[in-house]
Amino acid sequence: MKILAIETSCDETGVCLLTIDGTHPNTSVTVEANELATQIEDHQEYGGVFPSLAKRLHGENLPVLLEKILKTTSTTAISQIPEAKKEIIRGWLKRYPDLPDKLFDIFTTHGLPDINAVSVTVGPGLEPALWVGINVARAIALALDVPVIPINHMEGHLISTLVDDDITDGHSHNLKKIDFPAVALLVSGGHTELIKLEGWQSYEKIGQTRDDAAGEAFDKIGRLLDLPYPAGPHVSTLAQKARDLELESPDAFNLPRPMLGSDDLDFSFSGLKTDAARKIKAEGPLADRERQQFARELEDVIVDILVQKTSRAVKSCNAKDLLVGGGVSANTQLRQRLKTIKKDVSVHLSPLSLAGDNAVMIGLAAGGHYESGVTAESEISADSRLSL
Ligand code: KG4
Ligand code: ZN
């Protein structure tokens, strides 16, 4: 089966073409082409993602990425798109006056690949951003008379943990096999959740943040340290400098570990920000070395909380496999600490190339929904708070 996948839930525009052989999850996957355009620099002056800018940039990026993919993969010529279909597509994309004709031009110039479906992220995410991807997915699907498979972004992060590091090398790779029940820790800019998997598509949320997500805590507190958006990776780099220099954090920088000892599997990171803001203010402008110490403390605290709750979840579910995905799963400390969580638990981390948002994970997740999850394109809509 061949799938064209689209991701536009936040500030990365992704398009990819995958071939999936076999029946989910006993499949092998070949990434035929993969394109990603990041908007990070465009949002930096706002200190976070600016939704209407994200939407506009997705609308600009999608045809560019699609064209790149069509230029490098085999396609079947499309002589003409019937006027009736063009009208429907124009209706879907009425907020983007140039986009329909750009797409029609790309379709007829390069042809379209022989795909079985188009998969697209429908949530959670920024609603205006999601809609651009959905409408372009519908346009391609209608032009080819293939179905659209709506995908939950978090399922994408979850399934991205089952592929090899070199998944995008153009060769075929088997999806890793896991035993159930398994536990997944999904940590991104908007989500921090622990999921119990009883089987494929049988997901139970057993823990989640009650306020801010772990990535949000990195980003918001990192901003207080004058780090650019998204601050997570910059906090991590500063923290590593403190470790390399063997700089312990002074007591004045000690941050709380909210809910660390609570018996549930929930998280809370918003108090951390309040406390960090107070401490940074009290210390006055921080010198370079103090910023490194503060970053180290922040990273240690967030990683401690994530590791402790995940370890508890693995034990309480008696899980043999732990899956860890989402942007924050790129964090080196978190990866190292989780790898040794428990002797008899296999830990599957998203490859670094797929830890952040991308379209490959959306295509991979679609492999599991092809039989059951095909939806009429008119019924597909964005759901910014979609739950797994
Ligand atoms: O999954 P993702 O790319 O986008 C969302 O779906 O939100 O996650 C983005 C989040 C941001 O908060 C970013 O700061 C964080 O992942 N992040 C990191 C690291 N790399 C990305 N946080 C800590 N350490 C990192 N190395
Ligand atoms: Zn994400």
Side-chain angles (χ1 to χ4, degrees):
M1 151 172 70
K2 243 188 179 65
I3 292 186
L4 185 92
I6 295 180
E7 155 66 39
T8 62
S9 67
C10 191
D11 56 358
E12 313 279 342
T13 318
V15 183
C16 85
L17 186 65
L18 296 182
T19 300
I20 302 180
D21 291 311
T23 310
H24 187 81
N26 299 315
T27 50
S28 63
V29 177
T30 309
V31 179
E32 311 283 350
N34 178 33
E35 294 292 338
L36 192 68
T38 182
Q39 305 176 2
I40 282 178
E41 283 189 5
D42 302 280
H43 295 286
Q44 254 161 4
E45 66 177 290
Y46 305 99
V49 184
F50 193 58
S52 59
L53 177 64
K55 168 184 135 163
R56 180 167 66 73
L57 293 175
H58 286 309
E60 287 172 19
N61 291 340
L62 279 171
V64 176
L65 302 190
L66 183 65
E67 190 165 27
K68 278 191 187 169
I69 286 190
L70 299 179
K71 275 183 181 167
T72 58
T73 51
S74 75
T75 56
T76 304
I78 299 225
S79 52
Q80 205 186 345
I81 301 160
E83 205 44 49
K85 284 189 179 179
K86 282 188 172 176
E87 272 317 296
I88 296 173
I89 293 170
R90 285 199 181 99
W92 288 334
L93 290 167
K94 58 179 177 293
R95 302 217 176 111
Y96 307 84
D98 304 333
L99 189 50
D101 285 319
K102 241 189 232 172
L103 289 176
F104 303 148
D105 189 40
I106 291 172
F107 296 172
T108 45
T109 307
H110 302 284
L112 282 169
D114 248 336
I115 51 175
N116 300 79
V118 181
S119 71
V120 64
T121 307
V122 294
L126 302 168
E127 191 161 326
L130 291 164
W131 270 116
V132 195
I134 291 173
N135 283 326
V136 170
R138 287 156 132 188
I140 301 169
L142 185 68
L144 283 170
D145 283 319
V146 297
V148 175
I149 305 178
I151 296 297
N152 182 310
H153 181 82
M154 301 315 287
E155 189 180 21
H157 279 308
L158 191 155
I159 206 123
S160 74
T161 63
L162 300 184
V163 297
D164 299 329
D165 287 345
D166 50 356
I167 180 73
T168 50
D169 64 1
H171 297 292
S172 159
H173 295 262
N174 292 332
L175 225 56
K176 291 182 199 163
K177 296 203 175 20
I178 57 163
D179 289 324
F180 299 105
V183 163
L185 169 69
L186 303 179
V187 265
S188 67
H191 290 78
T192 300
E193 43 198 37
L194 283 161
I195 309 285
K196 181 179 183 184
L197 289 84
E198 293 283 6
W200 286 111
Q201 280 104 51
S202 170
Y203 308 129
E204 182 194 350
K205 203 180 282 176
I206 52 174
Q208 62 187 315
T209 181
R210 297 191 180 171
D211 39 60
D212 289 353
E216 209 172 348
F218 270 117
D219 294 344
K220 286 180 174 172
I221 302 171
R223 200 174 169 196
L224 300 174
L225 296 173
D226 293 326
L227 295 169
Y229 167 83
H234 301 285
V235 169
S236 192
T237 306
L238 281 190
Q240 192 49 46
K241 283 196 181 130
R243 273 183 215 102
D244 293 344
L245 296 168
E246 295 181 10
L247 295 177
E248 294 294 336
S249 300
D251 290 349
F253 290 171
N254 280 358
L255 293 171
R257 283 162 170 70
M259 298 187 67
L260 191 69
S262 68
D263 325 322
D264 53 33
L265 298 170
D266 284 349
F267 304 87
S268 166
F269 292 105
S270 66
L272 204 54
K273 188 198 149 197
T274 316
D275 200 75
R278 194 156 31 82
K279 287 187 169 129
I280 291 171
K281 199 167 166 211
E283 287 297 312
L286 300 186
D288 283 354
R289 170 191 272 244
E290 290 170 323
R291 286 169 82 230
Q292 292 162 359
Q293 289 169 315
F294 203 96
R296 177 177 182 177
E297 171 70 5
L298 174 61
E299 186 175 58
D300 284 347
V301 166
I302 295 177
V303 170
D304 274 354
I305 298 169
L306 293 173
V307 170
Q308 172 115 344
K309 292 277 169 161
T310 305
S311 165
R312 186 174 296 159
V314 165
K315 280 184 200 132
S316 71
C317 296
N318 207 9
K320 292 276 175 285
D321 287 271
L322 169 66
L323 320 181
V324 188
V328 181
S329 75
N331 184 277
T332 310
Q333 288 295 310
L334 182 66
R335 293 173 88 82
Q336 284 173 356
R337 299 257 317 264
L338 286 174
K339 265 186 208 157
T340 55
I341 205 166
K342 203 162 163 267
K343 243 209 227 121
D344 54 347
V345 172
S346 311
V347 182
H348 309 277
L349 302 163
S350 264
L352 287 177
S353 61
L354 298 191
D357 294 345
N358 63 85
V360 174
M361 67 185 197
I362 303 307
L364 289 170
H369 292 280
Y370 185 60
E371 303 295 335
S372 56
V374 170
T375 312
E377 68 258 17
S378 56
E379 286 171 24
I380 291 175
S381 74
D383 182 350
S384 61
R385 300 169 66 84
L386 185 67
S387 180
L388 196 64

